Amino acid sequence: MKILGIIPARGGSKGVPRKNIKLLAGKPLIAYTAEVAIKSKFIDTLIVSSEDEEIIDVAKSLGIEAPFKRPQDLSLDTTPTLPVILHALDFYKKQNIFFDAVCLLQTTSPFRTVKFLDKAIQTFIEKDTDSLVSVQQVPHEYNPHWVFEQDNLGNLKIATGEKQIISRRQDLPKAFHRDGSIYITKTAVLLEQQSLFGNSISYIESPKKWYVNIDTMEDWEKAEAMLLHKKK
């Protein structure tokens, strides 16, 4: 299976300004993802998708290809992920280069390992699903079977639509949320269904000990604390 690895890294982040190249323990944030992805035995081509020249220069210095400059209209706060991926695929299509799947790796999850990344891709290949996402288990108190939402009258109803609530924690089915670390999708699903997920989704759980998704300065400080703890 031929896989295109994409690291999306636009320059206009607001929660942590310039976070993609901001130094985390002396290294640009993007370097943590780059160093792991470059060592993956499954990723055939690894690129950065960015509209920012400085980010592109840093990426190249880390050994990541930057074969194009992403258009500004695909680099806004409101730009979804899918068009960014499709833009990259279209770039290669024009060169008659095709991939079976795309692996999206966000810089905001810097502590994934090579072993974890390769395990995720291997799982995706073996399961032969439309996509795979990395996840965290939802704590039982936030399980959707215990969550309420408003009905049309402003009263509460069980979010899952059940009439009776599951009373015992032990009886709750496991629930998961995307943690942002890894997304892998078959190219055919991206192009034909215009979807990151398709109809079948396999998953891999990220270890809690190194899970962080950097969106705010509080997240950044958490990442710094995690690295400090690791050194100790």
Side-chain angles (χ1 to χ4, degrees):
M1 177 173 281
K2 191 174 181 181
I3 297 177
L4 172 65
I6 301 178
I7 301 176
R10 68 185 187 90
S13 58
K14 293 183 177 179
V16 181
R18 307 294 292 166
K19 70 181 173 188
N20 286 305
I21 52 175
K22 181 178 171 67
L23 298 184
L24 178 64
K27 291 197 302 188
L29 180 63
I30 193 174
Y32 290 88
T33 295
E35 291 168 358
V36 168
I38 286 171
K39 294 176 183 176
S40 171
K41 62 184 179 183
F42 292 107
I43 294 177
D44 296 274
T45 300
L46 177 66
I47 66 169
V48 65
S49 173
S50 181
E51 87 296 357
D52 188 282
E53 290 285 1
E54 187 178 8
I55 291 175
I56 289 172
D57 288 342
V58 171
K60 287 181 177 179
S61 74
L62 295 168
I64 313 172
E65 294 181 36
F68 54 77
K69 187 175 181 181
R70 195 201 304 178
Q72 288 290 339
D73 62 352
L74 291 180
S75 306
L76 308 174
D77 279 342
T78 55
T79 303
T81 300
L82 182 60
V84 174
I85 297 174
L86 296 178
H87 172 261
L89 288 173
D90 186 60
F91 171 84
Y92 282 106
K93 179 183 177 182
K94 290 174 180 176
Q95 301 179 62
N96 206 33
I97 299 173
F98 303 94
F99 298 90
D100 300 301
V102 171
C103 178
L104 186 81
L105 300 168
Q106 300 186 114
T107 63
T108 47
S109 298
F111 302 142
R112 67 177 80 76
T113 64
V114 178
K115 182 179 179 181
F116 179 74
L117 173 57
D118 280 350
K119 183 180 178 182
I121 299 174
Q122 183 69 50
T123 299
F124 169 72
I125 294 171
E126 291 175 354
K127 293 277 191 179
D128 194 27
T129 49
D130 287 346
S131 64
L132 176 142
V133 295
S134 57
V135 299
Q136 292 282 304
Q137 190 167 335
V138 175
H140 69 268
E141 60 266 34
Y142 302 125
N143 190 287
H145 293 272
W146 278 8
V147 171
F148 294 90
E149 61 185 22
Q150 280 189 327
D151 63 18
N152 294 333
L153 298 176
N155 299 321
L156 294 180
K157 63 178 181 178
I158 303 172
T160 56
E162 296 163 304
K163 298 300 181 183
Q164 297 293 326
I165 199 163
I166 297 174
S167 59
R168 287 171 19 101
R169 172 181 57 82
Q170 295 86 344
D171 295 331
L172 288 170
K174 287 184 178 181
F176 303 93
H177 68 87
R178 295 171 293 159
D179 66 12
S181 179
I182 299 174
Y183 294 85
I184 312 171
T185 313
K186 289 180 178 177
T187 302
V189 172
L190 293 164
L191 296 176
E192 296 168 14
Q193 298 185 33
Q194 297 285 296
S195 171
L196 269 177
F197 305 106
N199 298 317
S200 56
I201 310 169
S202 51
Y203 71 94
I204 186 169
E205 282 193 67
S206 301
K208 288 184 179 180
K209 64 182 179 181
W210 49 256
Y211 169 66
V212 64
N213 192 347
I214 300 174
D215 185 51
T216 65
M217 281 308 302
E218 289 76 13
D219 299 327
W220 187 273
E221 290 163 4
K222 178 183 176 182
E224 289 181 323
M226 291 169 70
L227 285 173
L228 183 61
H229 178 74
K230 183 178 180 180
K231 287 182 180 180
K232 290 181 178 179

